[in-house]
Amino acid sequence: MLQKLLRFIKQPTSREIIINTIGNYLNVFFTAFWAFLLVRIMSPSDYGVLSVLLSISYVLANILDFGTTASIYSYLPNIFENKREKAYIFLKTIFTYQTVFSFIIITLLFVFFPYLDKLFFKTDASLWELYLTAFSVIFFIWQNYVINALNTTKKFLFSNLILNISNIIKTLFIFILYKFNLVNVGSIIFTFGILGPAFFFIILFFKKNNTILNVLKAKIKKEEFRFGYTFSFFIASQFSNLALRMDLFLLSFFYPRSPQIGYYGLSQKIILTILASITAVTQVLSPNFAKITSKIEAKKQLINGFLYLLIPAGLFIILYFTPEWIFNLFFTKKYSQTVAITHALSLAFILCSFLNLPFLFILYTAKKTFPILLTNLIFFIIVSIGCYFLIPFFGVFGPSIAIGFGFFVSLIILTYYNFIEYKKLPEN
């Protein structure tokens, strides 16, 4: 048994997951530290506004991914290994189309953001804070694109290194802002959304300038964008991204500028930090699933994937049993209501870990997007309707019920499609 465990740990995939997990948890550490720091500086109401605006920018960055993440992980591994010049064309095409489409949407956001805030988000943020939030979206998009490209080509160490260097710079800048009494919603959005990514790109250029120049000189071929695959996954991913933000948005709708939003926003950030561990695992597993051609390979990758995904599932269980005094140590008693909210959400998100296993197989092995689209649509409907009706009765505890039920239904649907696609593979 011990020998099997050692062999498992020594596998290349295990080493890559260890590297990526350490890097992701350094990022988690910074996220937790920023929350630890900001809840001591900002009022719950201001922290709630910051949480909503940052959530909007993260959601938009995911929306304006346009499904390119799926294309990068599905097709780049084989292209990069066999045809380097074609890989540059692929990367240039993806970047160009994504950037052009994103600028169009962000321009519209600049026009309508103030009206959306008055109508729905109700943060009462200043105009420059709203515009700063919108402008930061393009930086998040470019940063996500680079991280996906580096991870797909097995550059996990480098991608995590430059990301966490930018995190150090953001942390130092927050201390400078604090020293000069300049910590507010706008300055923190600038730090997270513009300053940090800017340093990320500067370091990237100095270390990978030859690759960047080769990509920039490459041709653009629209067939490399794979509109059918990317667009359908784009639609599917939006339902998932929106569903995982509808809880905070609807809480903001029912309780505008309430401290409850700050409490829930902090709980959501704690959950999102653990979701980073799922990302660390799936980023490494995705290229492996893209190369599966038989049932034997599929079985091996599914078993490995299940074992690796036990790690984030276990973290959610640990979070559920984390005592109140640890929360108070990090976030002070001012945010004591966060404890019960976090415990409720951690139970709901345990299923999220295992949901990624059939997701990887269907998207990257079978290369089918309809099952993902159907599942995410149903998940969005369950969470949105559930939150809308449960929040008035259960307050900040309503979303955990809706999210947990949504994950349960999604797991059943994807497992069914996973079984169907698995049977289509040849034995060897």
Side-chain angles (χ1 to χ4, degrees), residues 383-398:
V383 173
S384 300
I385 295 177
C387 286
Y388 185 82
F389 286 103
L390 291 172
I391 287 174
F393 290 98
F394 298 100
V396 290
F397 297 100

PDB file of all heavy atoms in Angstrom, residues 383-398:
ATOM      1  N   VAL A 383     -30.272  27.711  -8.750  1.00  0.00           N
ATOM      2  CA  VAL A 383     -29.655  28.659  -7.814  1.00  0.00           C
ATOM      3  C   VAL A 383     -30.391  29.998  -7.826  1.00  0.00           C
ATOM      4  O   VAL A 383     -30.676  30.574  -6.768  1.00  0.00           O
ATOM      5  CB  VAL A 383     -28.164  28.857  -8.146  1.00  0.00           C
ATOM      6  CG1 VAL A 383     -27.563  29.977  -7.290  1.00  0.00           C
ATOM      7  CG2 VAL A 383     -27.395  27.565  -7.911  1.00  0.00           C
ATOM      8  N   SER A 384     -30.715  30.495  -9.011  1.00  0.00           N
ATOM      9  CA  SER A 384     -31.365  31.812  -9.117  1.00  0.00           C
ATOM     10  C   SER A 384     -32.756  31.808  -8.490  1.00  0.00           C
ATOM     11  O   SER A 384     -33.079  32.668  -7.657  1.00  0.00           O
ATOM     12  CB  SER A 384     -31.453  32.243 -10.583  1.00  0.00           C
ATOM     13  OG  SER A 384     -30.183  32.340 -11.158  1.00  0.00           O
ATOM     14  N   ILE A 385     -33.582  30.842  -8.894  1.00  0.00           N
ATOM     15  CA  ILE A 385     -34.938  30.770  -8.338  1.00  0.00           C
ATOM     16  C   ILE A 385     -34.883  30.426  -6.860  1.00  0.00           C
ATOM     17  O   ILE A 385     -35.626  30.991  -6.045  1.00  0.00           O
ATOM     18  CB  ILE A 385     -35.786  29.735  -9.117  1.00  0.00           C
ATOM     19  CG1 ILE A 385     -35.979  30.201 -10.565  1.00  0.00           C
ATOM     20  CG2 ILE A 385     -37.138  29.515  -8.442  1.00  0.00           C
ATOM     21  CD1 ILE A 385     -36.740  29.205 -11.424  1.00  0.00           C
ATOM     22  N   GLY A 386     -33.978  29.507  -6.507  1.00  0.00           N
ATOM     23  CA  GLY A 386     -33.846  29.125  -5.108  1.00  0.00           C
ATOM     24  C   GLY A 386     -33.462  30.302  -4.232  1.00  0.00           C
ATOM     25  O   GLY A 386     -34.068  30.526  -3.175  1.00  0.00           O
ATOM     26  N   CYS A 387     -32.461  31.069  -4.663  1.00  0.00           N
ATOM     27  CA  CYS A 387     -32.036  32.243  -3.883  1.00  0.00           C
ATOM     28  C   CYS A 387     -33.144  33.288  -3.796  1.00  0.00           C
ATOM     29  O   CYS A 387     -33.358  33.908  -2.751  1.00  0.00           O
ATOM     30  CB  CYS A 387     -30.780  32.859  -4.501  1.00  0.00           C
ATOM     31  SG  CYS A 387     -29.269  31.915  -4.222  1.00  0.00           S
ATOM     32  N   TYR A 388     -33.858  33.482  -4.907  1.00  0.00           N
ATOM     33  CA  TYR A 388     -34.904  34.507  -4.932  1.00  0.00           C
ATOM     34  C   TYR A 388     -36.007  34.211  -3.917  1.00  0.00           C
ATOM     35  O   TYR A 388     -36.518  35.128  -3.261  1.00  0.00           O
ATOM     36  CB  TYR A 388     -35.497  34.605  -6.341  1.00  0.00           C
ATOM     37  CG  TYR A 388     -36.511  35.716  -6.490  1.00  0.00           C
ATOM     38  CD1 TYR A 388     -36.100  37.024  -6.713  1.00  0.00           C
ATOM     39  CD2 TYR A 388     -37.881  35.449  -6.403  1.00  0.00           C
ATOM     40  CE1 TYR A 388     -37.028  38.047  -6.842  1.00  0.00           C
ATOM     41  CE2 TYR A 388     -38.814  36.463  -6.538  1.00  0.00           C
ATOM     42  CZ  TYR A 388     -38.388  37.763  -6.754  1.00  0.00           C
ATOM     43  OH  TYR A 388     -39.313  38.771  -6.869  1.00  0.00           O
ATOM     44  N   PHE A 389     -36.362  32.942  -3.780  1.00  0.00           N
ATOM     45  CA  PHE A 389     -37.439  32.595  -2.858  1.00  0.00           C
ATOM     46  C   PHE A 389     -36.949  32.251  -1.450  1.00  0.00           C
ATOM     47  O   PHE A 389     -37.689  32.415  -0.478  1.00  0.00           O
ATOM     48  CB  PHE A 389     -38.252  31.418  -3.418  1.00  0.00           C
ATOM     49  CG  PHE A 389     -39.141  31.787  -4.567  1.00  0.00           C
ATOM     50  CD1 PHE A 389     -38.790  31.473  -5.872  1.00  0.00           C
ATOM     51  CD2 PHE A 389     -40.334  32.460  -4.352  1.00  0.00           C
ATOM     52  CE1 PHE A 389     -39.607  31.825  -6.939  1.00  0.00           C
ATOM     53  CE2 PHE A 389     -41.161  32.817  -5.409  1.00  0.00           C
ATOM     54  CZ  PHE A 389     -40.798  32.497  -6.703  1.00  0.00           C
ATOM     55  N   LEU A 390     -35.699  31.772  -1.330  1.00  0.00           N
ATOM     56  CA  LEU A 390     -35.206  31.358  -0.016  1.00  0.00           C
ATOM     57  C   LEU A 390     -34.608  32.502   0.797  1.00  0.00           C
ATOM     58  O   LEU A 390     -34.675  32.492   2.028  1.00  0.00           O
ATOM     59  CB  LEU A 390     -34.155  30.249  -0.183  1.00  0.00           C
ATOM     60  CG  LEU A 390     -34.676  28.895  -0.688  1.00  0.00           C
ATOM     61  CD1 LEU A 390     -33.510  27.959  -0.988  1.00  0.00           C
ATOM     62  CD2 LEU A 390     -35.620  28.265   0.339  1.00  0.00           C
ATOM     63  N   ILE A 391     -34.010  33.494   0.120  1.00  0.00           N
ATOM     64  CA  ILE A 391     -33.382  34.607   0.851  1.00  0.00           C
ATOM     65  C   ILE A 391     -34.389  35.362   1.719  1.00  0.00           C
ATOM     66  O   ILE A 391     -34.096  35.683   2.878  1.00  0.00           O
ATOM     67  CB  ILE A 391     -32.650  35.547  -0.126  1.00  0.00           C
ATOM     68  CG1 ILE A 391     -31.363  34.882  -0.625  1.00  0.00           C
ATOM     69  CG2 ILE A 391     -32.309  36.884   0.540  1.00  0.00           C
ATOM     70  CD1 ILE A 391     -30.630  35.654  -1.705  1.00  0.00           C
ATOM     71  N   PRO A 392     -35.606  35.669   1.227  1.00  0.00           N
ATOM     72  CA  PRO A 392     -36.562  36.365   2.106  1.00  0.00           C
ATOM     73  C   PRO A 392     -36.933  35.576   3.355  1.00  0.00           C
ATOM     74  O   PRO A 392     -37.298  36.173   4.379  1.00  0.00           O
ATOM     75  CB  PRO A 392     -37.789  36.559   1.192  1.00  0.00           C
ATOM     76  CG  PRO A 392     -37.238  36.566  -0.194  1.00  0.00           C
ATOM     77  CD  PRO A 392     -36.120  35.571  -0.154  1.00  0.00           C
ATOM     78  N   PHE A 393     -36.831  34.241   3.313  1.00  0.00           N
ATOM     79  CA  PHE A 393     -37.194  33.411   4.470  1.00  0.00           C
ATOM     80  C   PHE A 393     -35.993  33.063   5.345  1.00  0.00           C
ATOM     81  O   PHE A 393     -36.082  33.073   6.575  1.00  0.00           O
ATOM     82  CB  PHE A 393     -37.875  32.115   4.000  1.00  0.00           C
ATOM     83  CG  PHE A 393     -39.242  32.325   3.420  1.00  0.00           C
ATOM     84  CD1 PHE A 393     -39.425  32.409   2.053  1.00  0.00           C
ATOM     85  CD2 PHE A 393     -40.355  32.460   4.248  1.00  0.00           C
ATOM     86  CE1 PHE A 393     -40.684  32.612   1.509  1.00  0.00           C
ATOM     87  CE2 PHE A 393     -41.621  32.648   3.711  1.00  0.00           C
ATOM     88  CZ  PHE A 393     -41.789  32.728   2.344  1.00  0.00           C
ATOM     89  N   PHE A 394     -34.861  32.734   4.719  1.00  0.00           N
ATOM     90  CA  PHE A 394     -33.692  32.273   5.470  1.00  0.00           C
ATOM     91  C   PHE A 394     -32.541  33.275   5.481  1.00  0.00           C
ATOM     92  O   PHE A 394     -31.496  32.993   6.071  1.00  0.00           O
ATOM     93  CB  PHE A 394     -33.204  30.938   4.893  1.00  0.00           C
ATOM     94  CG  PHE A 394     -34.208  29.832   4.991  1.00  0.00           C
ATOM     95  CD1 PHE A 394     -34.974  29.475   3.892  1.00  0.00           C
ATOM     96  CD2 PHE A 394     -34.407  29.146   6.178  1.00  0.00           C
ATOM     97  CE1 PHE A 394     -35.903  28.445   3.962  1.00  0.00           C
ATOM     98  CE2 PHE A 394     -35.341  28.124   6.265  1.00  0.00           C
ATOM     99  CZ  PHE A 394     -36.094  27.775   5.163  1.00  0.00           C
ATOM    100  N   GLY A 395     -32.713  34.420   4.824  1.00  0.00           N
ATOM    101  CA  GLY A 395     -31.671  35.433   4.819  1.00  0.00           C
ATOM    102  C   GLY A 395     -30.397  34.932   4.165  1.00  0.00           C
ATOM    103  O   GLY A 395     -30.428  34.300   3.105  1.00  0.00           O
ATOM    104  N   VAL A 396     -29.245  35.166   4.807  1.00  0.00           N
ATOM    105  CA  VAL A 396     -27.953  34.800   4.234  1.00  0.00           C
ATOM    106  C   VAL A 396     -27.729  33.290   4.174  1.00  0.00           C
ATOM    107  O   VAL A 396     -26.759  32.826   3.572  1.00  0.00           O
ATOM    108  CB  VAL A 396     -26.811  35.450   5.036  1.00  0.00           C
ATOM    109  CG1 VAL A 396     -26.781  36.957   4.820  1.00  0.00           C
ATOM    110  CG2 VAL A 396     -26.923  35.122   6.519  1.00  0.00           C
ATOM    111  N   PHE A 397     -28.603  32.498   4.784  1.00  0.00           N
ATOM    112  CA  PHE A 397     -28.465  31.044   4.738  1.00  0.00           C
ATOM    113  C   PHE A 397     -29.266  30.415   3.591  1.00  0.00           C
ATOM    114  O   PHE A 397     -29.110  29.230   3.302  1.00  0.00           O
ATOM    115  CB  PHE A 397     -28.910  30.428   6.068  1.00  0.00           C
ATOM    116  CG  PHE A 397     -28.063  30.865   7.229  1.00  0.00           C
ATOM    117  CD1 PHE A 397     -28.498  31.863   8.082  1.00  0.00           C
ATOM    118  CD2 PHE A 397     -26.812  30.300   7.446  1.00  0.00           C
ATOM    119  CE1 PHE A 397     -27.714  32.283   9.144  1.00  0.00           C
ATOM    120  CE2 PHE A 397     -26.027  30.706   8.502  1.00  0.00           C
ATOM    121  CZ  PHE A 397     -26.470  31.717   9.357  1.00  0.00           C
ATOM    122  N   GLY A 398     -30.085  31.213   2.936  1.00  0.00           N
ATOM    123  CA  GLY A 398     -30.868  30.709   1.820  1.00  0.00           C
ATOM    124  C   GLY A 398     -30.028  30.227   0.648  1.00  0.00           C
ATOM    125  O   GLY A 398     -30.278  29.150   0.090  1.00  0.00           O
TER     126      GLY A 398
END
